[in-house]
Amino acid sequence: RDSDNTAVRDYARMMIDMHSSTNARAEALPLEPRDNQVSMSMERMVVGQVAELTAASGAARDRMYVEKQVVLHGHTLDMLTHV
C-alpha cells in the first residue's frame, strides 16, 4: 500500500531503486546469497515486519516503516562489520 506522505513515498522509491541496483550487481557474483544462515535470518525478520506493516495504516504505518528500515539496515551493517 502506498503512503499519503510524499517524503515516505520518495524514501521507499529510493530504497527500491538502491536495492534493485545492489541485487543486480550481486547476481554477477559467484555466490548464492540466500544459501546462508545470515541471509535466511534476515529474510525471516523481513517477513515478520511486512506482516506488521500490512496490519498498520496511516501515519502510524509510515512511522513504523521508516523505523523498521533503520533497524534492518543497522542489522545489515552490523553483520557486514562482523563477518
Side-chain angles (χ1 to χ4, degrees):
R1 296 183 303 208
D2 288 334
S3 172
D4 292 331
N5 184 311
T6 303
V8 172
R9 282 196 318 268
D10 290 347
Y11 175 76
R13 172 51 50 200
M14 179 187 69
M15 287 288 93
I16 290 167
D17 292 346
M18 291 178 128
H19 281 262
S20 295
S21 173
T22 300
N23 290 343
R25 287 188 308 234
E27 286 177 11
L29 299 173
L31 305 171
E32 292 294 330
R34 295 187 187 270
D35 287 348
N36 64 66
Q37 291 291 61
V38 172
S39 292
M40 289 186 278
S41 173
M42 286 296 289
E43 190 165 336
R44 283 191 299 274
M45 190 181 319
V46 169
V47 168
Q49 291 189 4
V50 168
E52 290 178 37
L53 286 167
T54 300
S57 63
R61 180 180 183 275
D62 291 344
R63 193 170 28 263
M64 184 187 300
Y65 167 70
V66 173
E67 288 170 357
K68 288 183 180 302
Q69 286 294 304
V70 170
V71 170
L72 281 172
H73 286 91
H75 284 307
T76 302
L77 290 172
D78 285 345
M79 286 187 298
L80 292 172
T81 302
H82 296 99
V83 172

